[in-house]
Amino acid sequence: MSEPGARFRPARLGSADPPPLTRIGPNPARPHFVLCCDHASNAVPAHMERLGLAQAELDRHIGWDIGAATVTHALSARLGAPAYLSGYSRLLIDCNRPPGSPTAMPAVSDGTVVPANRAITPEEAVARTDAFFRPYHDAIAACLDAALAAGAVPVVVAVHSFTPVFGGVSRPWQIGLLYEHDDRLVRPLKAALRALRPGLVVGDNEPYAIVGPSDYSIPVHGQGRGLPHIEIELRQDLIGTRAGAEAWAATLATALRRVRAALAPLAIEMRVPPEAG
Ligand SMILES: [Zn+2]
């Protein structure tokens, strides 16, 4: 290996590098759901030499959300919903962090030093943001703009996954439902999931809570527009196989459909407190 973790050079992106986002699913004028998967991929531009990391590091949870893309594909198909998947590793740029966030391009992640993220210049940070983050979020925003213009009130669903063990402690939840100020969907979705899978341990803002200034997709695309929304965290050991991911997508699709029907008609509701606005 030559330079460990080469700098990002937009001009060196080539035909072998994936696009910054993948859009899948149908394009209904009035979508009931719009899906996003911020950590779908562990790809790194070829010229950046895996950010100076061993492939095994990119393959573990610090590189991406294991299983989340497979769930998103299956969920999009079952719901007939447009879905947006980011094209690159969260270590290159985290599409669920606001630009400028200290964790958007982490120099250390879960104990692993990321060589290409040490001493990033402001110019490189802007270049990564423009090349990967903006196209992904611009596409989601355009989809929601069009849906709203058509009179639809889509539910924004963000799909993530989490590690079964963190800091030596096993996490009890199979699934977590995350939100900040707008909890419209939380209780009905919890009930719908438990009806489908009795005994399910559902995290309520576990294993994480959404915090507006440090998260991005749900605060901006859901909460910021007053659209109903939920961030779904699935435990990685349950969705690491295609069969597991498909089964969870089936459960989620049924639960989300039931909740949407039960709460109809859904409205645009701004629930951000004025002082936080
Ligand atoms: Zn994630």
Side-chain angles (χ1 to χ4, degrees):
M1 189 182 292
S2 53
E3 180 190 2
R7 298 284 127 211
F8 173 50
R9 311 246 182 257
R12 292 191 61 193
L13 284 172
S15 56
D17 294 313
L21 72 136
T22 302
R23 187 203 176 288
I24 59 169
N27 192 22
R30 296 163 61 89
H32 285 182
F33 298 93
V34 173
L35 316 180
C36 67
C37 189
D38 301 330
H39 304 140
S41 168
N42 65 347
V44 171
H47 74 273
M48 293 184 75
E49 299 167 347
R50 299 190 310 265
L51 307 174
L53 295 169
Q55 185 60 43
E57 293 285 0
L58 289 171
D59 287 344
R60 71 189 191 100
H61 77 97
I62 61 171
W64 60 338
D65 280 358
I66 293 163
T70 311
V71 171
T72 304
H73 274 264
L75 192 54
S76 164
R78 285 180 178 273
L79 290 174
Y84 295 82
L85 297 94
S86 72
Y88 286 87
S89 173
R90 72 203 297 175
L91 294 177
L92 176 70
I93 184 160
D94 190 328
C95 283
N96 195 30
R97 294 287 178 271
S101 159
T103 52
M105 303 167 207
V108 181
S109 181
D110 192 20
T112 295
V113 173
V114 184
N117 289 356
R118 288 180 304 193
I120 298 179
T121 63
E123 292 74 20
E124 178 169 358
V126 168
R128 289 194 199 183
T129 303
D130 289 349
F132 308 111
F133 178 96
R134 298 226 182 271
Y136 171 69
H137 286 293
D138 287 354
I140 298 169
C143 175
L144 294 173
D145 285 344
L148 288 164
V153 181
V155 176
V156 179
V157 180
V159 180
H160 292 261
S161 70
F162 64 96
T163 56
V165 179
F166 189 74
V169 178
S170 289
R171 287 163 153 170
W173 320 277
Q174 287 94 351
I175 182 171
L177 304 179
L178 279 54
Y179 56 97
E180 191 180 27
H181 301 301
D182 183 344
D183 62 354
R184 268 184 279 177
L185 263 54
V186 177
R187 236 173 353 145
L189 191 52
K190 207 183 287 180
L193 288 166
R194 284 190 181 140
L196 290 163
R197 294 197 181 213
L200 199 63
V201 183
V202 183
D204 186 322
N205 264 340
E206 298 278 9
Y208 316 103
I210 293 181
V211 182
S214 62
D215 291 89
Y216 190 86
S217 290
I218 286 297
V220 169
H221 298 304
Q223 184 168 272
R225 290 175 181 262
L227 290 172
H229 56 266
I230 196 74
E231 182 166 323
I232 292 170
E233 287 273 359
L234 289 160
R235 210 173 66 201
Q236 286 165 4
D237 58 309
L238 304 175
I239 57 169
T241 63
R242 176 163 294 276
E246 295 273 357
W248 272 96
T251 298
L252 285 170
T254 302
L256 285 165
R257 269 219 191 86
R258 286 181 184 172
V259 168
R260 185 174 170 106
L263 296 180
L266 287 164
I268 292 171
E269 291 180 23
M270 298 301 293
R271 300 239 186 143
V272 183
E275 70 274 17

